[in-house]
Amino acid sequence: MASSGYNIDVDVLKEQGKRFADLSADFGAAATEFSSKVTECETSWGTDSVKIVKTLLDGYKPVSAAIQKVLPRLEVELGEIGKKLTQTANEYAAAEQEQITTLSKAVPGGHS
């Protein structure tokens, strides 16, 4: 069975690229708000005469710090996915146009 090649919808790739770019921006804003709220929660426990809060925070803060460190990188990577999808769409569109041009020159009576 012969294959007709890839069936790529360039517009869908471009739309998904835009959606990932938008997702990246939304995620970045949410991550910033999350970090602010976490910091606020960590500093507003008040007096801890029993030291329960200190014990909880000693275990929680390293996890919180690691999450906050990763969030900006995730924002960047989501944006990169969007860029790559858009780049791929543009490359497919250019390749398709090149094939059309080449084929129209090769076919008798074709137009360039």
Side-chain angles (χ1 to χ4, degrees), residues 28-40 60 64 67-68 71:
T32 299
E33 183 178 350
F34 170 78
S35 292
S36 173
K37 294 292 182 186
V38 166
T39 301
E40 181 181 326
Y60 168 80
S64 170
I67 291 170
Q68 290 183 58
L71 292 178

Side-chain angles (χ1 to χ4, degrees), residues 2-3 5 8 10-11 14 26 28 30 35 38 40 43 51 62 70 72 74 76 86 92 96-97 102 109-110:
S3 173
I8 303 299
V10 173
D11 292 334
K14 287 181 180 181
D26 292 346
S35 292
V38 166
E40 181 181 326
T43 58
K51 304 296 182 205
V70 170
L74 183 54
V76 168
T86 301
Y92 272 113
E96 187 173 288
Q97 185 57 50
T102 301

Side-chain angles (χ1 to χ4, degrees), residues 28-94:
T32 299
E33 183 178 350
F34 170 78
S35 292
S36 173
K37 294 292 182 186
V38 166
T39 301
E40 181 181 326
C41 286
E42 290 175 351
T43 58
S44 61
W45 284 91
T47 306
D48 181 23
S49 59
V50 186
K51 304 296 182 205
I52 293 172
V53 173
K54 180 188 180 318
T55 303
L56 289 172
L57 287 176
D58 285 348
Y60 168 80
K61 279 189 175 184
V63 174
S64 170
I67 291 170
Q68 290 183 58
K69 183 178 179 182
V70 170
L71 292 178
R73 182 67 184 165
L74 183 54
E75 175 188 1
V76 168
E77 292 303 323
L78 288 170
E80 286 299 313
I81 291 171
K83 287 178 188 175
K84 298 283 185 187
L85 286 171
T86 301
Q87 179 183 355
T88 300
N90 292 336
E91 289 171 2
Y92 272 113

